[in-house]
Amino acid sequence: MGKFEINVDKGGKYRFNLKASNGQVILSSQGYTTKSACENGIESVKTNSQKDDAFERLEASNGSPYFNLKATNGQVIGSSEMYSSSSAMENGIASVKTNAPDSKVVDNS
């Protein structure tokens, strides 16, 4: 089972990463000014990760595929790494769908 990890960045903002059971980061958040906002973001990922249309499949300027997970209001709540192929990106999306709902939260802040 995966886990969400909450950390504080150098600028003092709260961020979370969703990690797969192998420890690989599969989704990273934006910076939040408060821990409670960060925790709300995690809850939003748990809910929205079960909706395929919440995943925005994109391509970087260098051609690398990646995805954003969006809330129902259209706000990006998490972004993936850059992938080497579209099929690798789809595997990343599947991993978020599998891991997010039941992942525990580890607070490293």
Side-chain angles (χ1 to χ4, degrees), residues 56-78:
E56 181 182 32
R57 292 152 171 92
L58 300 163
E59 190 173 287
S61 58
N62 68 357
S64 298
Y66 71 101
F67 64 85
N68 287 330
L69 177 61
K70 291 188 166 188
T72 50
N73 65 4
Q75 182 178 354
V76 174
I77 49 179

Side-chain angles (χ1 to χ4, degrees), residues 39-91:
E39 291 167 340
N40 288 342
I42 290 171
E43 290 306 312
S44 184
V45 168
K46 288 183 175 191
T47 302
N48 289 291
S49 65
Q50 300 310 293
K51 305 171 191 167
D52 191 64
D53 62 350
F55 289 90
E56 181 182 32
R57 292 152 171 92
L58 300 163
E59 190 173 287
S61 58
N62 68 357
S64 298
Y66 71 101
F67 64 85
N68 287 330
L69 177 61
K70 291 188 166 188
T72 50
N73 65 4
Q75 182 178 354
V76 174
I77 49 179
S79 299
S80 73
E81 65 179 1
M82 299 294 164
Y83 290 96
S84 58
S85 67
S86 293
S87 61
M89 177 189 67
E90 292 298 332
N91 288 341

Side-chain angles (χ1 to χ4, degrees), residues 13-59:
K13 296 205 176 206
Y14 293 87
R15 296 180 182 271
F16 65 80
N17 287 317
L18 173 60
K19 292 187 173 183
S21 55
N22 65 3
Q24 181 178 356
V25 174
I26 51 178
L27 192 72
S28 297
S29 76
Q30 64 178 22
Y32 295 93
T33 55
T34 65
K35 189 190 300 187
S36 64
C38 187
E39 291 167 340
N40 288 342
I42 290 171
E43 290 306 312
S44 184
V45 168
K46 288 183 175 191
T47 302
N48 289 291
S49 65
Q50 300 310 293
K51 305 171 191 167
D52 191 64
D53 62 350
F55 289 90
E56 181 182 32
R57 292 152 171 92
L58 300 163
E59 190 173 287

